[in-house]
Every structure is written in C-alpha cells, then in structure tokens.
Amino acid sequence: MSKVFTTKEALTLRKNFQGAYLAALHARLKMNFVYIITPCSRPKNLETLYKSIASTFGDNFLWLIVGDSSKCNRHLSKFDSGNTRIIDHPNSYSGNLQRNTGIEWVKKHSKGGFWIHFLDDDNIIHPDIKHYFHEFTSSYDIVAVSQCLKTGHPRRVQFGDYENMEASEAKMKIKQVDLAQVFFKHSCLDDLHFRKSSYQADGILIQAMLEKKYKFNFVKNYLCYYNYLSSNIVY
C-alpha cells in the first residue's frame, strides 16, 4: 500500500530532492566549466568569437581576453561584462605572455576542477565540439582533436603521428601543435608557463604536461579550425 504523505512531509521531500538535483547539476556544471583565454590584437574579430563560444558552452564558460597593446585595449571595454573579462597586458612575442597572464588569472580566481582552452583571435570554436565535450571531461585530463581548414578540408600538418597508433603510443610533433586542438584540466598547468620567445611554445607546454602522465586522449574527429578568421590586425 502506498504511503500517504502529509503536506509538510511532501514539501520536505521535494526540498531534499531539489537540493540533491541542484547539487548534482552544479557538480556537472563545475566539471564542464571552461576558461577560454584569448590573446587579442584583432578586436574586430571578438564578436564572432563570442558567438561561437556561447553557442558551444552556453553559460558554462568564462572568456578571458588579454589585450596585447594599449592601442588594442581601448577597443575592449565593451566586452568586459557577464562571462567575459578583459585583462590588460603590453605587447609580447606571439602572445605567449598574454597566455601566461591568463593562466595566472585562472590560478588566482578559480578553485580548481575546471577546463582551459586557448583560442586565438583569428579563430572560432568548431560547432561540433559541443557534442563531445562532456565525454572529454568525464574520462581524461588532456584531449587533443584533429584540425581542419575553414573549408572543412583536413589541415595538412596535424598534431602528431596518430593515424595508425593508439593514443597512448602516439608521438607528438612539437612544431605542429596548435593550441586550438587542445583542451585540458587546469590542474595540468601546475607550475607550467609558455616560453616567452618561442613559436614552438605551444608544443613545449603540452609536452611538459604529457610528461607528467596525465590521462591523454587524441580524437581523430575534425573538431577545431585552423585560423578560421582574418589574421589582419585592424582596430
């Protein structure tokens, strides 16, 4: 025979259920939350970037735009609201210092358990990544995906020699790493930073992460673009 609850008991059960549901929801959101760091010298591209980020991650992101010159920074204030933060920084080689500034901001303001992605201001988030992102966060610490051109054709140079190998055996090609291909938990950064004066800083940093034996997976699906937007610097 089914139990008949009093109004008070029913309200208590409802409250407890809602509490458990919200706790589980918040835990999931926290697990899937991503910090996106963008060194910026092309503010004209930012609205397009934002649309691609928001359509992929909903409200589960915080976008850090790190300006790389005073000339650029004065165009960024309109983006400093909601889930976007503007961080000032002087010019630097290849945006490496801007990325380091973003890393330090995340370390200072987050409590861990989040993901990080570096998105340059001449690129966008691939729309299909949202179908795989939850899977990434549940099983791995670092995930790399295959890269394609704006046309959808594969980029000739890829992350590494993966075609005929298991991910655990794959050999990364440092010179060919593009950060747009990589998502990683913020705990992977530890004490790591980008080298200030190196075009290979992307690959060097990821290699240092992999040497720490984090759980890594390479996804052969083409889930990121290479320089989708204009690279011309226009203010």
Side-chain angles (χ1 to χ4, degrees), residues 135-150:
E135 179 182 345
F136 296 168
T137 59
S138 64
S139 304
Y140 303 101
D141 301 311
I142 307 171
V143 176
V145 301
S146 292
Q147 192 171 47
C148 63
L149 304 177
K150 183 177 182 177

Side-chain angles (χ1 to χ4, degrees), residues 110-234:
S110 77
K111 296 181 180 180
F114 303 102
W115 284 71
I116 289 181
H117 182 59
F118 291 93
L119 181 68
D120 286 348
D121 61 1
D122 61 354
N123 208 357
I124 63 172
I125 299 290
H126 195 290
D128 290 343
I129 196 74
K130 60 186 175 185
H131 303 304
Y132 298 86
F133 192 68
H134 292 312
E135 179 182 345
F136 296 168
T137 59
S138 64
S139 304
Y140 303 101
D141 301 311
I142 307 171
V143 176
V145 301
S146 292
Q147 192 171 47
C148 63
L149 304 177
K150 183 177 182 177
T151 60
H153 294 91
R155 184 187 174 205
R156 184 177 60 82
V157 176
Q158 287 293 337
F159 188 91
D161 296 321
Y162 293 97
E163 290 305 315
N164 301 306
M165 305 176 68
E166 296 296 326
S168 60
E169 301 173 341
K171 305 296 183 182
M172 186 180 71
K173 299 177 182 178
I174 290 178
K175 293 182 180 180
Q176 298 175 4
V177 174
D178 185 344
L179 277 175
Q181 297 177 255
V182 185
F183 293 83
F184 54 89
K185 289 182 179 177
H186 111 289
S187 56
C188 296
L189 285 171
D190 197 15
D191 58 348
L192 300 176
H193 290 84
F194 290 90
R195 291 191 180 182
K196 297 179 181 180
S197 301
S198 173
Y199 277 114
Q200 298 177 21
D202 298 14
I204 293 171
L205 182 78
I206 300 303
Q207 183 185 53
M209 289 183 187
L210 295 180
E211 288 175 352
K212 292 179 178 290
K213 306 301 181 182
Y214 290 108
K215 292 181 180 179
F216 170 73
N217 187 38
F218 180 79
V219 180
K220 293 182 180 180
N221 304 57
Y222 293 98
L223 297 174
C224 82
Y225 290 116
Y226 179 72
N227 295 0
Y228 189 94
L229 302 174
S230 170
S231 297
N232 297 326
I233 299 177
V234 179

Side-chain angles (χ1 to χ4, degrees), residues 1-19:
M1 181 176 180
S2 300
K3 180 179 179 180
V4 178
F5 293 98
T6 65
T7 301
K8 183 177 180 180
E9 289 174 328
L11 290 174
T12 299
L13 286 171
R14 179 181 178 184
K15 181 179 179 181
N16 291 339
F17 172 78
Q18 288 178 337

Side-chain angles (χ1 to χ4, degrees), residues 59-84:
D59 291 325
N60 299 335
F61 72 92
L62 187 67
W63 186 24
L64 305 179
I65 304 173
V66 189
D68 69 355
S69 72
S70 58
K71 188 176 181 181
C72 172
N73 291 345
R74 69 172 180 262
H75 295 271
L76 302 180
S77 58
K78 66 178 180 179
F79 294 98
D80 196 8
S81 64
N83 46 9
T84 301

